[in-house]
């Protein structure tokens, strides 16, 4: 088996830009943010995969010495069990990068 994530004792989370939409819910993604330390630059990739499909790029962007905010004009609807992955290709050695995204989870069959 290949380890793709590790949760350290006492931390309780991976600190990775990954998420899986829970069964029985649809995620409506409406904003993504990436930051990079001063002096660094990177290309970012927001990718998602519906169950049984392959990862596709939902948005790509450049960030340099600052923050990058992207608001989806229409929230991106991701069905249950979809995977979300945010990746960065950093061009500066040892640059620190963060990512976050905002979504609303709606129970399938429930009110919007």
């Amino acid at each position: 088996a290949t380890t793709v994530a590790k949760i350290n004792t006492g931390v309780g989370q991976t600190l990775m830009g990954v998420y899986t939409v829970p069964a029985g819910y649809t995620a409506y993604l409406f904003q993504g943010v990436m930051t990079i330390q001063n002096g660094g630059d990177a290309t970012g990739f927001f990718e998602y995969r519906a169950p049984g499909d392959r990862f596709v790029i939902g948005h790509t962007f450049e960030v340099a010495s600052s923050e990058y905010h992207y608001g989806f004009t229409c929230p991106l609807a991701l069905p249950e069990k979809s995977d979300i992955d945010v990746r960065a290709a950093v061009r500066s050695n040892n640059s620190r990068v963060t990512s976050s995204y905002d979504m609303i989870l709606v129970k399938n069959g429930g009110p919007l």
Side-chain angles (χ1 to χ4, degrees), residues 19-80:
Y19 183 75
T20 299
V21 178
Y25 288 83
T26 298
Y28 294 90
L29 183 79
F30 58 91
Q31 176 176 270
V33 178
M34 180 171 271
T35 66
I36 192 164
Q37 76 184 57
N38 194 19
D41 64 328
T43 300
F45 302 92
F46 173 82
E47 301 177 349
Y48 63 93
R49 169 179 65 187
D53 205 352
R54 61 181 178 80
F55 274 101
V56 295
I57 296 174
H59 185 66
T60 185
F61 50 91
E62 300 287 323
V63 61
S65 298
S66 65
E67 292 183 358
Y68 177 83
H69 292 260
Y70 182 76
F72 290 90
T73 303
C74 181
L76 180 61
L78 300 170
E80 65 179 0

Side-chain angles (χ1 to χ4, degrees), residues 86-103:
V86 180
R87 302 176 189 197
V90 180
R91 291 181 290 275
S92 306
N93 287 336
N94 300 317
S95 291
R96 290 186 314 272
V97 176
T98 66
S99 70
S100 64
Y101 35 88
D102 298 327
M103 70 179 78

Side-chain angles (χ1 to χ4, degrees), residues 1-5:
T2 301
T3 301
V4 293

